[in-house]
Amino acid sequence: MRTSRWLVVTYTVIILLGLLIALPNALPQSVLQRVPAWLPHQQVSLGLDLRGGSHLVLEVDEADLTKERLQSLLQDARRVLREKGIQPKAVVRSQNQIVVTLADAAQSDAAVTELKTLANPISTGLSAGQSDLAVTANGATITVGFSPAGISANVDNAVQQSLEVIRQRVDQVGVSEPTIQRIGANRVLVQLPGAQDPSRLRELLGSTAKMSFHMLSPNNAPGPGVTMLKDDEGRSYPVLDRVEISGDRLSDARVSFDPNTHEPIVSFRFDSAGASRFAEITRQNVGNPFAIVLDDKVLSAPVIREPITGGSGQISGSFSADSATTLAAMLRAGALPAKLTVIEERTVGADLGADAIKMGIYSGIVGFVLVAAFIFVLYGTWGFLANIALLIHTILTFSALTLVGATLTLPGIAGVVLGIGLAVDANVLINERIREETRKGKSAFAAIDTGFRRAYSTIIDGNMTALIAAAILFFFGSGPVRGFAVTMALGLIISMFTSVAFVRVAMIEITRRSKLKVLNIRPLIPFSPYDKHIQFMKARFFGLTVSALLSIASVVLFIHPGLNYGVDFRGGIQMAVKTTGPADLGTFREGLNTLGLGEISLQSFGDKNSILVRAQRQEGGEEAQTAAVTKLKAEVAKIDPTATVEGTDVIGPKVSGELAWAGILSVVIASFAMLIYIWVRFEWPFAVGAIITLVLDVTKAIGFFAITGLDFNLTAIAAILTLVGYSVNDKVVVYDRMRENMRLYKSMPLREIIDKSINETLARSLYTNATAFLALVPMAIWGGSAVSSFAIPMVFGILVAGASSIFIAAPILLFLGDWRRRHAKAAATDTAVEIIPPEQGRPRKSAS
């Protein structure tokens, strides 16, 4: 057996290129800057949970947008009717429509025709060409409102405009490497690395910054056309609704300082048309007060002392340098078309991110070393080859992450570590198959050829089930969880090259050059789980009974005391606080409970200096959540002035509900997808057995979350989905051997075939479960709170999945197989009876 020289060259080139592409990730920036320009310099992007920063999801307020558009539509309706000489009794806004009441019903048709001229055709999407307005007449009453397609088009346009305004605002304050992108129909994602002041970000991004200039009511009293507005000090002003000049006419806004008080002020300048209008207004109203209004709040209300003809002015108030800079940036960038509500906010401090990187790297290295040592013990000198393949797998994973521009998160590091464990699975399968063929007396090359061929389909089936879980996780997940799905999927795909293609070529070359006649893969420590004849099916009733009882207990635990739902699913606020000395939980609890924010829980995490503060979801929407965050931070600083808030998660009710539904849906869809895959690849009894076992495995995992009190959050859903894929992967190996033996031993009873198959795959099951266990244990111990909801349940789930493959999935298959055989035998008997001719069916008379 000889390997193509071109194949060896191709594999060598792929590995060397992967090494070059991944190398910059291991070099510090000082060294990377001295690397020649023709070599790769790109590094894997780090997520905000690793480098620190702020993540906000903003949603266009559809009600506010419709209100703004209807206000403009109201003015336009009055104008077109007036221009055509149509006299209405009233033109008013009623909820989400304009109601026009005509003095003369005979003018209804003409009024409808004119009002329809206010409509605009929708330019994009499935509704392109349709009108954005719905105009209906009922006698002298005409209603004008936005059609459903028009509302969607308004939201779409508002999101597009908001993206541009947000980019300009972020650029104005000098944030580097921002990520600003649209997600869904009406949301915008903003990620700002290094920006650690979420309150300022909310002010910068959430304010519409609609600035306008109004005169005040001369009699200082509310009335028709007058709205009472307040300033930051709580003073009320009777502001005339009529806009004298809008902020659209501003051409520039800058921060300066009052020469007398040295306080920050915002200087603004109008364009030419705005300057002329401003000069006219101030000339006509000398001695009268006027109000500068921003988002329904009075910034200042000075008295006009003299005409202002220069086209510029100043806004003074209780500004800090930061707030003045933010206001100037918003005014320069322009107003948002509608209010943006912050529905999700996550902030990670740079120190917390650095700690996460350190913990992730250390636990990953320890996991790799443990797995490599275990493989070396199992396969001796041939284990070196498997470990080299494992090292190449890790390098190629990072090169692939670099090439696709993926973002590495802390759960992503967990995905890389898990990928190492799953990559070893293929090596174990291949080595065990080769050992088996060698024991049958085959030569070295024959054992390699048969071993790889028979292991290949099992590896494909196992990896496909895990890829299904990763794909669904990516589709339904968000943020760091998606990062985990990407790294896990890339690791699985790359393992097909390193563990199958590369190892096969390397084994053939080593065997050929060493002129080996027989390929003996010996362990360093004698251990032989081979040629066992354990009758596992004798314990089938015991295994099923124990599993059923544990699953029932898990359901009871799920009901009471229930899961410890994280902020992702129940909404609310989660805050990571770091103190200089050991944190006094009692003092913090006593102080925070005085804030009137409802249920507040505290727990230590990581070390004695770290506290996790959780506050329930606040009534009053996102604004109430923001106010609660401010109160919590102020109280933390009051309790311990040395304490720092290193991370904050704020999840609104809408997002928490969506995440909970997406989590449930993803687990259900993954289970059905695997049911279909196994049904297609095997037969229906295999699929039914796998799904029943899967349900039992998942219920036990839920019970584990309930009994340990671990956070049940997005990372926990990732663990459940990964466990689903891993559990099915484990069963596929046993099923594949059962299918093979059913073809070889057609007359053997099914019970004996199942016992024989389990015994033949027992070594593989023990070894692969052990490698996955060793890969994840360091992450479970040292990974920190960010991945504890993934790594710890996965360690438990690996043990459950290994046991259930033998004691649950196999007995279910035996029951279904026996039932099917009995059913088929009965059907065949019935058919045989039906086709017996009548004369043959009659009893013969005995001869006399």
Side-chain angles (χ1 to χ4, degrees):
M1 181 181 287
R2 183 176 290 274
T3 305
S4 167
R5 186 180 299 275
W6 287 108
L7 194 62
V8 174
V9 171
T10 302
Y11 287 177
T12 304
V13 169
I14 290 171
I15 293 168
L16 289 176
L17 283 176
L19 182 61
L20 279 175
I21 293 168
L23 185 60
N25 294 291
L27 300 177
Q29 282 295 329
S30 57
V31 176
L32 194 59
Q33 290 172 359
R34 296 196 296 270
V35 172
W38 55 271
L39 286 173
H41 283 68
Q42 187 178 353
Q43 294 179 315
V44 175
S45 299
L46 297 180
L48 294 183
D49 57 345
L50 294 178
R51 61 175 170 169
S54 293
H55 161 113
L56 293 95
V57 177
L58 304 103
E59 184 177 71
V60 170
D61 190 326
E62 187 177 303
D64 180 70
L65 177 64
T66 303
K67 175 185 173 184
E68 289 289 331
R69 297 294 167 90
L70 284 173
Q71 192 62 35
S72 299
L73 192 60
L74 179 70
Q75 302 298 330
D76 291 340
R78 288 172 176 164
R79 177 179 53 78
V80 297
L81 294 176
R82 184 173 61 250
E83 289 175 353
K84 297 300 179 179
I86 300 172
Q87 295 297 323
K89 280 186 179 178
V91 182
V92 295
R93 181 167 65 85
S94 175
Q95 295 182 340
N96 288 333
Q97 59 187 10
I98 304 298
V99 179
V100 179
T101 306
L102 299 175
D104 183 2
Q107 293 182 307
S108 178
D109 291 342
V112 168
T113 301
E114 294 305 320
L115 290 172
K116 284 185 176 180
T117 62
L118 300 176
N120 294 307
I122 297 170
S123 58
T124 58
L126 298 175
S127 304
Q130 297 181 23
S131 171
D132 66 341
L133 291 183
V135 182
T136 58
N138 183 11
T141 303
I142 303 171
T143 59
V144 184
F146 289 104
S147 64
I151 292 173
S152 297
N154 287 341
V155 171
D156 182 70
N157 292 333
V159 172
Q160 295 293 346
Q161 293 175 43
S162 298
L163 283 170
E164 294 306 315
V165 173
I166 288 171
R167 283 193 185 98
Q168 292 182 42
R169 290 185 181 181
V170 170
D171 289 343
Q172 296 284 355
V173 295
V175 177
S176 61
E177 299 181 22
T179 298
I180 302 167
Q181 64 188 49
R182 181 175 185 167
I183 53 173
N186 61 345
R187 293 178 182 174
V188 177
L189 167 67
V190 181
Q191 291 184 331
L192 306 176
Q196 301 305 321
D197 187 356
S199 58
R200 187 184 177 199
L201 283 175
R202 281 174 174 265
E203 183 183 358
L204 179 67
L205 303 177
S207 301
T208 52
K210 290 187 177 178
M211 188 172 177
S212 52
F213 297 80
H214 304 252
M215 300 307 299
L216 298 185
S217 173
N219 54 12
N220 288 328
V226 177
T227 302
M228 298 301 294
L229 298 179
K230 294 184 177 181
D231 62 10
D232 284 331
E233 304 295 328
R235 294 185 291 262
S236 297
Y237 300 86
V239 179
L240 295 176
D241 292 342
R242 187 179 65 201
V243 177
E244 299 294 345
I245 184 170
S246 71
D248 297 342
R249 292 298 179 186
L250 290 175
S251 63
D252 193 17
R254 300 287 172 185
V255 177
S256 56
F257 292 89
D258 188 301
N260 298 319
T261 63
H262 303 292
E263 292 181 348
I265 58 175
V266 178
S267 302
F268 61 86
R269 180 173 294 279
F270 290 108
D271 59 18
S272 56
S276 299
R277 176 62 182 155
F278 194 54
E280 181 183 350
I281 294 167
T282 54
R283 191 178 296 113
Q284 294 172 356
N285 291 281
V286 172
N288 296 326
F290 79 113
I292 304 172
V293 178
L294 179 74
D295 292 342
D296 296 329
K297 182 188 290 184
V298 176
L299 291 178
S300 60
V303 174
I304 301 172
R305 301 296 182 190
E306 58 185 11
I308 303 173
T309 58
S312 62
Q314 293 178 345
I315 305 170
S316 59
S318 54
F319 293 130
S320 66
D322 283 345
S323 62
T325 301
T326 300
L327 175 58
M330 290 191 295
L331 295 180
R332 286 197 302 273
L336 288 167
K339 181 182 177 183
L340 290 178
T341 304
V342 179
I343 59 174
E344 180 182 348
E345 173 193 314
R346 301 180 191 271
T347 305
V348 178
D351 290 342
L352 193 61
D355 290 343
I357 293 175
K358 193 182 299 180
M359 288 187 296
I361 291 174
Y362 287 168
S363 57
I365 291 173
V366 173
F368 183 93
V369 170
L370 287 175
V371 170
F374 184 70
I375 292 297
F376 180 63
V377 169
L378 281 183
Y379 302 122
T381 53
W382 287 102
F384 275 122
L385 178 59
N387 287 333
I388 290 170
L390 203 58
L391 182 60
I392 293 171
H393 171 272
T394 306
I395 292 169
L396 291 183
T397 300
F398 276 96
S399 65
L401 289 171
T402 305
L403 284 175
V404 301
T407 299
L408 185 64
T409 60
L410 189 54
I413 294 176
V416 173
V417 173
L418 181 63
I420 291 170
L422 294 177
V424 172
D425 184 35
N427 285 123
V428 170
L429 271 171
I430 291 164
N431 282 307
E432 291 306 315
R433 275 292 193 177
I434 292 173
R435 270 178 171 174
E436 190 175 332
E437 299 303 321
T438 300
R439 287 197 302 272
K440 291 178 182 178
K442 290 189 177 181
S443 66
F445 288 120
I448 291 172
D449 184 55
T450 307
F452 272 92
R453 180 162 41 82
R454 292 189 172 177
Y456 188 72
S457 63
T458 309
I459 293 168
I460 289 289
D461 287 333
N463 283 356
M464 278 302 299
T465 56
L467 280 171
I468 288 170
I472 291 170
L473 194 59
F474 180 82
F475 185 79
F476 286 99
S478 63
V481 174
R482 276 194 165 188
F484 165 78
V486 170
T487 54
M488 179 178 166
L490 287 174
L492 288 167
I493 294 168
I494 291 168
S495 72
M496 292 301 296
F497 169 73
T498 56
S499 301
V500 180
F502 167 76
V503 170
R504 180 187 175 92
V505 169
M507 288 188 89
I508 290 171
E509 283 298 302
I510 292 169
T511 303
R512 186 177 63 82
R513 291 178 182 276
S514 301
K515 298 180 181 180
L516 298 176
K517 300 298 181 183
V518 179
L519 194 64
N520 288 316
I521 303 177
R522 296 189 180 92
L524 289 184
I525 301 173
F527 173 69
S528 179
Y530 313 103
D531 300 322
K532 301 293 182 185
H533 302 287
I534 304 170
Q535 294 180 326
F536 289 101
M537 290 304 97
K538 279 190 173 181
R540 62 188 183 278
F541 294 109
F542 175 77
L544 285 170
T545 302
V546 171
S547 177
L549 289 174
L550 288 174
S551 290
I552 291 169
S554 296
V555 172
V556 172
L557 288 169
F558 172 73
I559 297 170
H560 182 77
L563 299 176
N564 179 25
Y565 291 103
V567 70
D568 291 334
F569 291 151
R570 65 179 177 180
I573 302 161
Q574 181 170 289
M575 191 177 288
V577 178
K578 186 87 169 179
T579 58
T580 53
D584 187 343
L585 288 181
T587 303
F588 274 96
R589 187 177 289 109
E590 183 181 350
L592 296 175
N593 280 331
T594 63
L595 297 178
L597 300 178
E599 180 187 353
I600 293 181
S601 62
L602 289 87
Q603 69 179 74
S604 296
F605 75 97
D607 55 41
K608 295 180 180 180
N609 296 10
S610 300
I611 311 175
L612 206 59
V613 179
R614 289 194 181 109
Q616 70 180 43
R617 191 170 67 200
Q618 302 297 304
E619 298 296 330
E622 280 70 19
E623 290 80 5
Q625 299 258 86
T626 304
V629 171
T630 304
K631 286 183 179 179
L632 285 170
K633 287 184 176 179
E635 187 64 25
V636 165
K638 180 180 175 183
I639 295 169
D640 186 350
T642 66
T644 56
V645 176
E646 295 202 321
T648 308
D649 288 353
V650 183
I651 306 295
K654 183 179 290 187
V655 171
S656 61
E658 290 173 357
L659 292 176
W661 174 244
I664 296 168
L665 199 60
S666 60
V667 173
V668 172
I669 291 175
S671 301
F672 274 107
M674 290 177 195
L675 169 68
I676 294 168
Y677 182 80
I678 294 175
W679 200 314
V680 170
R681 290 288 292 151
F682 295 88
E683 295 180 35
W684 71 264
F686 291 92
V688 173
I691 290 303
I692 292 173
T693 310
L694 201 59
V695 170
L696 294 173
D697 287 353
V698 169
T699 53
K700 292 182 187 69
I702 297 293
F704 182 79
F705 273 104
I707 203 168
T708 58
L710 285 168
D711 271 6
F712 195 80
N713 49 26
L714 281 178
T715 311
I717 291 292
I720 297 290
L721 275 173
T722 308
L723 179 59
V724 165
Y726 184 85
S727 179
V728 175
N729 181 353
D730 207 58
K731 285 144 193 65
V732 161
V733 176
V734 181
Y735 280 174
D736 193 65
R737 183 57 66 93
M738 289 178 185
R739 179 175 59 180
E740 183 181 326
N741 285 335
M742 284 176 184
R743 293 169 182 165
L744 292 173
Y745 310 101
K746 294 183 179 178
S747 61
M748 183 182 289
L750 181 60
R751 176 174 170 175
E752 292 181 23
I753 288 176
I754 291 176
D755 275 337
K756 179 179 177 60
S757 301
I758 294 174
N759 278 285
E760 288 175 348
T761 57
L762 182 60
R764 176 269 167 195
S765 297
L766 291 174
Y767 296 160
T768 54
N769 284 320
T771 52
F773 181 85
L774 290 173
L776 286 172
V777 160
M779 185 69 70
I781 297 172
W782 298 300
S785 60
V787 292
S788 60
S789 295
F790 172 83
I792 296 174
M794 273 300 298
V795 168
F796 168 79
I798 287 166
L799 302 177
V800 170
S804 67
S805 298
I806 297 172
F807 297 107
I808 311 300
I812 291 172
L813 184 62
L814 176 60
F815 295 145
L816 292 173
D818 284 345
W819 173 84
R820 187 170 67 158
R821 286 187 177 184
R822 289 194 301 270
H823 182 73
K825 186 176 180 180
T829 303
D830 292 343
T831 304
V833 170
E834 288 175 6
I835 63 174
I836 295 175
E839 61 272 13
Q840 293 180 9
R842 296 174 186 150
R844 295 181 180 182
K845 293 181 181 180
S846 59
S848 56

